[in-house]
Amino acid sequence: MKFDSVIIGGGLAGLTAGLKLQSAGKQTAIISTGQSALHFFSGSFESLQEAPEEMKQLFSQAGIRLHYSPGVRLMPLGTFREAALSLEDIDLFPKASFGKKVLIVNLLGYHDFFSSFLAQGLEKEGMECRIRFINLPEMEKLQLSPSEMRAVQIARIMDRIWEKVIQEIRLLLKDEDTVVLPQVFGLQDASVPSRIRQGIPARVVFAGTLPPSVPGIRTQMLLKKRYQLLGGTFLMGDKVDKAHLHEGRVHSVVTQNLDNHYIEAQNFLLASGSYFSKGLSSNPFGISEPVFGLDIDFAAERGNWYSPSFADDQPYMAYGVKTDENLHAIKDGKALENLYVAGAVLGKTRPEFGTAAGMAVRSALAAADNILKASEL
Amino acid sequence: MKLQEYTRSKGNFEECMKCTVCTAYCPVLQVNPLYPGPKQAGPDGERLRLKDPYFFSNTLKYCMNCKRCEVACPSGVNVADLIQAARIKYDKSKPKLRDRILASTDLMGTLTRPVAPIVNAVTGLGITKTVLDATLKIDRHRTFPKYSSPGFEIWLRSHKREQAAFPEQVAYFHGCYVNYNYPQLGKDLVKVLNALGVGVQLLDNEKCCGIAMITNGMSESARKHAVHNVAALQKAVDKGLKVVTTSSTCTFTMRDEYPHLLDVDNSAVKDSLLMATRFIYEKLEKGAKLNFKSDFHKKIAYHTPCHLEKLGWGVFSEKLLKMIPGVEFTMLDSNCCGIAGTYGFKKENYEASQAIGQALFSQIKTVNPDVVACDCETCKWQIEMSTGYTVMNPISILAQALED
């Protein structure tokens, strides 16, 4: 099977690059080993500055609305963290406070949202909190299986009964100026969070839950749907087993599912993620990139991969695949001319693209740009 | 560092990071609160079951074996294999008569085919459905697949000489559905392959792949079928033949479930067993040509069956359909139709089955295609019953689009 470009990795970086290349009229395929880190997405692009124009365009065509307002966002345990560019349902505030009196509302039986911690955190910032639970008959079935009462299962129900949730909250609301709710709204229907905001006569803030992340999964579904609508080929649940290299170029890759069927392309993009997604792999002796065996710099002493303090930035998180200025991958000290790299597999080796989700998008756009330039030559 | 490979546990369950991604994609969990979900039933439960079989739960029977959890898993855990293997190992209850009947697809075919018109008339009657519902708990809403007489095998045998005249040959594992219920699909395959200069042969006495037996607690019978089929496939492979199929589930069962669930070694034949879509695509890629009608027009919505999604071969159907001039193609979202073989035929599962399929049904209605394309026979029954749209195997669409 032949494509203009093959992208290894179906997360935020892979999908962003896929959308850009496919929009430019290229035929591409994305190969994704299972679902991506978007399932743990906070909804905020971390250090990213104002979104690049083409990101706004690609995302809005996919039905994803972004907003930009440098400040802080509420974290699941009632603390605040700097943020700027976010999905529309993630609130951004100028400072670590958003009101005087806060009503925290959870759903009865839902354990992945920590209302008491939230209250403690907000009270430290001088806010007065009251915690209440709502219970609706539509949730009875879910409550039968408490261990499976997770954000996504709840969100499926909330997509249908959000109007009832508004009514319940209006009954609970006394003199509070703010209502905090878990992020369990807007899985299939992205408009639900803003409808809830409109229906409640107070500021509504959505706070993160334990994974899976509802805004993250929605983002993944919308990006993938748009990519397929543009004609992209998405190979879900497949894994690149090996790559055929010839004279400094990648000729083709072979996957677990398509076994002896070669997948050929002019250009390849490695966006296979970090350790969790197995884009990077570690063992007691070293850190490696399993598909191509690309170069990675890491401390020789394993003890130096970690910082003794758990909360510190861990050195191993900075390690990533080495690239040249055009994001070509480097193997045995030499750049591979048609293999590009984007996203978390870069670690923190390319700080100019920012960090986390912002880095994934920016490096993917840059790599896709380089691929388009190279294919014009 | 090979140590990790040598110590890999069965089903790879120790790789589970407890990330819960699988639970977001389990179709059963969305509708049935009695099911503990893929994470609990799979890797979490396995850890406990290994300590003490007491921890085996009967609720694992609610797993449809659709494998969506495995496709979603970022860590390569064979979640559904773990669940089905636990059912085989620990569930000692005898399958009910109803389950035996549903699982014995080829036996039912053999018994009913000589009197097909009578059987079809009888199973189509409201009174029969009511009786089956009350006595055997086969849901009354279901339409029974029609039996066809004569079967595909008989038809192909009567064309043996002309098929043997083609310079290139393949063997065809047609499965129960093509033989007993819908020989036309087999004939369509023969038409397309003949157009590529390939003649079609039968295997030396194939049997039902056994998937319905695996999911209905009859793993011993399934194992016998597996051993028989691997031997039949081996005979074809020994003659240098590839074996093609038109059913995604039969293919998936013989390639993956035989070694993973039934401990039947298929390594010598696995690479020769292909979906016909893949075989045809690879031929076209190597330069073979098909002559399509110039006035063919069809709006096609393609549904990837769960087991084809797990095989990762939906891409061949997609590419082939897009290749036909005059086709307007829509890829439907990745969703389960809810039937899962015999699962949806059972009265206790009917409601869940329809609820699971809802997202797919409503998308089909929105797209409003001329035809839905799909490589699975039970998806076809489910989608046709639930939406009223016609469902065709991509091979049949190819055959229809070919210049006669």
Side-chain angles (χ1 to χ4, degrees):
Chain A
M1 210 169 274
K2 284 196 183 81
F3 296 93
D4 294 323
S5 296
V6 164
I7 298 159
I8 303 168
L12 188 55
L15 280 164
T16 303
L19 282 178
K20 176 163 169 164
L21 293 169
Q22 207 64 44
S23 305
K26 299 291 173 190
Q27 284 306 314
T28 68
I30 292 178
I31 306 168
S32 184
T33 318
Q35 295 288 358
S36 72
L38 272 171
H39 289 61
F40 314 100
F41 185 37
S42 68
S44 200
F45 293 81
E46 301 296 334
S47 69
L48 190 62
Q49 302 304 303
E50 173 68 295
E53 266 319 304
E54 59 178 335
M55 174 185 180
K56 283 188 200 162
Q57 204 186 336
L58 291 176
F59 277 53
S60 87
Q61 284 164 346
I64 300 164
R65 284 194 290 265
L66 304 168
H67 73 129
Y68 175 72
S69 165
V72 292
R73 67 183 165 93
L74 176 63
M75 300 292 283
L77 298 185
T79 55
F80 290 85
R81 183 161 168 169
E82 276 197 332
L85 180 69
S86 298
L87 297 179
E88 196 187 46
D89 44 335
I90 310 301
D91 304 81
L92 297 164
F93 315 100
K95 60 185 171 71
S97 172
F98 41 67
K100 289 198 171 68
K101 289 190 162 188
V102 181
L103 174 67
I104 300 172
V105 180
N106 193 8
L107 306 157
L108 194 68
Y110 181 44
H111 301 305
D112 289 352
F113 180 69
F114 306 109
S115 358
S116 307
F117 284 137
L118 257 171
Q120 278 173 30
L122 297 181
E123 278 159 8
K124 268 189 203 155
E125 300 292 341
M127 291 174 257
E128 196 181 306
C129 296
R130 193 161 65 94
I131 300 171
R132 285 294 176 272
F133 293 86
I134 54 176
N135 192 16
L136 293 162
E138 288 82 355
M139 281 162 46
E140 267 171 21
K141 258 183 145 184
L142 265 190
Q143 286 160 343
L144 289 174
S145 181
S147 67
E148 294 308 310
M149 209 168 159
R150 297 199 176 92
V152 179
Q153 314 297 359
I154 297 174
R156 287 205 176 89
I157 296 173
M158 293 303 149
D159 272 357
R160 297 197 310 266
I161 62 160
W162 53 271
E163 280 172 306
K164 284 194 176 177
V165 174
I166 292 176
Q167 284 166 19
E168 291 290 314
I169 294 172
R170 290 181 73 116
L171 289 174
L172 288 172
L173 196 64
K174 286 184 187 159
D175 55 347
E176 285 89 356
D177 49 53
T178 307
V179 176
V180 175
L181 289 170
Q183 259 172 19
V184 293
F185 300 96
L187 182 69
Q188 299 283 349
D189 181 353
S191 70
V192 172
S194 58
R195 285 169 198 269
I196 289 182
R197 284 202 175 109
Q198 284 160 18
I200 294 173
R203 180 207 286 269
V204 177
V205 178
F206 297 98
T209 66
L210 282 184
S213 152
V214 170
I217 293 186
R218 183 210 313 142
T219 305
Q220 201 271 348
M221 289 192 301
L222 290 170
L223 291 173
K224 182 180 169 214
K225 199 176 171 101
R226 173 76 185 156
Y227 174 73
Q228 288 183 315
L229 193 72
L230 291 170
T233 299
F234 200 102
L235 301 175
M236 184 44 139
D238 202 356
K239 176 171 171 279
V240 175
D241 269 344
K242 63 176 185 237
H244 297 287
L245 274 65
H246 184 63
E247 290 176 353
R249 289 179 65 85
V250 182
H251 169 264
S252 57
V253 293
V254 177
T255 69
Q256 210 164 51
N257 286 340
L258 301 189
D259 42 63
N260 49 16
H261 187 103
Y262 287 21
I263 304 178
E264 296 171 40
Q266 300 283 319
N267 293 289
F268 290 81
L269 174 66
L270 183 72
S272 48
S274 186
Y275 301 94
F276 173 80
S277 308
K278 295 188 159 57
L280 297 172
S281 167
S282 77
N283 68 32
F285 311 106
I287 290 168
S288 59
E289 184 286 304
V291 178
F292 300 95
L294 301 174
D295 295 358
I296 297 171
D297 279 339
F298 54 88
E301 272 297 310
R302 192 176 185 225
N304 295 330
W305 299 358
Y306 313 94
S307 162
S309 170
F310 180 74
D312 280 358
D313 268 350
Q314 297 289 331
Y316 69 87
M317 294 306 295
Y319 303 151
V321 162
K322 284 169 81 173
T323 44
D324 71 5
E325 77 264 21
N326 291 322
L327 288 164
H328 288 111
I330 294 181
K331 182 176 164 69
D332 306 326
K334 278 192 214 121
L336 293 169
E337 63 179 272
N338 69 338
L339 177 63
Y340 298 81
V341 188
V345 69
L346 288 165
K348 290 180 183 165
T349 61
R350 301 298 295 259
E352 71 268 35
F353 295 116
T355 55
M359 193 274 275
V361 173
R362 289 208 154 190
S363 59
L365 291 174
D369 212 31
N370 292 335
I371 289 174
L372 289 174
K373 278 184 197 145
S375 57
E376 276 166 20
L377 295 176
Chain B
M1 193 59 194
K2 286 272 178 353
L3 191 65
Q4 280 163 328
E5 281 168 35
Y6 294 133
T7 56
R8 181 158 287 186
S9 52
K10 198 155 190 183
N12 213 12
F13 83 93
E14 282 164 300
E15 289 283 308
C16 175
M17 311 254 294
K18 316 294 170 206
C19 75
T20 70
V21 163
C22 57
T23 65
Y25 292 90
C26 174
V28 183
L29 205 47
Q30 293 173 31
V31 297
N32 185 352
L34 298 175
Y35 180 52
K39 176 174 166 283
Q40 294 271 331
D44 285 9
E46 186 68 7
R47 204 180 55 216
L48 299 171
R49 292 189 291 262
L50 284 175
K51 286 193 168 166
D52 189 338
Y54 165 81
F55 290 105
F56 172 75
S57 161
N58 196 30
T59 55
L60 267 57
K61 71 176 178 210
Y62 294 117
C63 168
M64 303 194 294
N65 198 28
C66 70
K67 309 282 181 187
R68 286 185 171 268
C69 45
E70 296 188 7
V71 175
C73 178
S75 305
V77 179
N78 298 338
V79 187
D81 283 357
L82 285 165
I83 297 168
Q84 293 305 321
R87 289 188 60 205
I88 291 174
K89 190 168 170 192
Y90 302 110
D91 187 0
K92 298 298 174 207
S93 63
K94 288 255 182 294
K96 297 178 202 156
L97 175 65
R98 188 258 333 250
D99 296 356
R100 287 183 173 274
I101 292 174
L102 286 174
S104 304
T105 49
D106 56 356
L107 179 66
M108 293 307 285
T110 314
L111 292 178
T112 52
R113 206 184 47 212
V115 285
I118 304 169
V119 173
N120 293 338
V122 171
T123 54
L125 290 175
I127 179 77
T128 312
K129 292 185 178 188
T130 308
V131 170
L132 287 174
D133 187 295
T135 55
L136 288 174
K137 309 277 183 248
I138 293 173
D139 195 275
R140 73 181 76 213
H141 298 90
R142 292 286 165 203
T143 308
F144 264 81
K146 297 259 180 287
Y147 287 97
S148 177
S149 184
F152 175 75
E153 286 194 356
I154 294 169
W155 179 83
L156 190 62
R157 280 201 194 99
S158 69
H159 292 76
K160 197 172 175 178
R161 193 168 300 166
E162 61 190 76
Q163 289 305 313
F166 284 93
E168 191 185 338
Q169 295 285 310
V170 290
Y172 176 35
F173 182 95
H174 48 68
C176 305
Y177 169 70
V178 165
N179 198 31
Y180 303 122
N181 306 119
Y182 197 63
Q184 187 56 42
L185 173 54
K187 294 175 190 172
D188 291 339
L189 176 72
V190 171
K191 179 180 172 186
V192 177
L193 288 176
N194 287 175
L196 289 164
V198 180
V200 181
Q201 312 179 1
L202 293 169
L203 284 171
D204 186 7
N205 189 21
E206 68 168 71
K207 281 193 174 180
C208 166
C209 69
I211 185 68
M213 295 173 171
I214 296 174
T215 51
N216 282 293
M218 297 161 65
S219 58
E220 267 319 305
S221 312
R223 192 170 287 120
K224 282 180 197 145
H225 280 224
V227 170
H228 175 97
N229 282 335
V230 169
L233 293 168
Q234 187 67 55
K235 279 189 194 165
V237 172
D238 288 344
K239 285 190 257 175
L241 297 176
K242 291 258 186 239
V243 183
V244 297
T245 58
T246 42
S247 161
S248 43
T249 291
C250 300
T251 315
F252 167 71
T253 304
M254 293 190 286
R255 283 179 61 99
D256 291 358
E257 303 285 68
Y258 282 5
H260 293 164
L261 296 181
L262 302 175
D263 287 320
V264 173
D265 180 15
N266 65 355
S267 52
V269 298
K270 189 177 174 185
D271 287 348
S272 303
L273 180 64
L274 299 174
M275 290 289 291
T277 43
R278 177 170 177 172
F279 179 83
I280 294 166
Y281 179 84
E282 288 178 346
K283 276 207 100 45
L284 296 175
E285 205 177 42
K286 286 191 190 116
K289 291 269 178 294
L290 284 173
N291 285 327
F292 291 109
K293 288 174 186 155
S294 53
D295 58 345
F296 188 79
H297 288 290
K298 253 195 176 57
K299 186 174 174 187
I300 296 174
Y302 178 68
H303 165 66
T304 316
C306 299
H307 287 161
L308 194 61
E309 187 133 340
K310 171 64 183 159
L311 273 174
W313 292 0
V315 63
F316 296 111
S317 302
E318 177 190 347
K319 296 266 170 201
L320 280 179
L321 290 170
K322 282 180 174 172
M323 207 179 271
I324 303 172
V327 161
E328 190 189 327
F329 183 90
T330 305
M331 175 62 98
L332 294 167
D333 294 345
S334 172
N335 280 308
C336 176
C337 76
I339 188 83
T342 59
Y343 186 94
F345 276 86
K346 298 174 187 174
K347 188 176 169 65
E348 68 270 26
N349 295 336
Y350 177 79
E351 218 176 294
S353 173
Q354 294 313 104
I356 288 168
Q358 209 44 59
L360 174 68
F361 307 151
S362 58
Q363 196 191 5
I364 290 173
K365 285 171 190 161
T366 314
V367 174
N368 189 25
D370 298 325
V371 63
V372 176
C374 176
D375 321 68
C376 170
E377 49 278 4
T378 58
C379 294
K380 174 182 158 81
W381 302 332
Q382 170 78 337
I383 296 170
E384 289 186 339
M385 182 196 90
S386 311
T387 66
Y389 284 85
T390 305
V391 181
M392 286 171 80
N393 189 295
I395 297 292
S396 295
I397 297 175
L398 273 180
Q400 217 177 57
L402 283 185
E403 198 74 71
D404 285 317

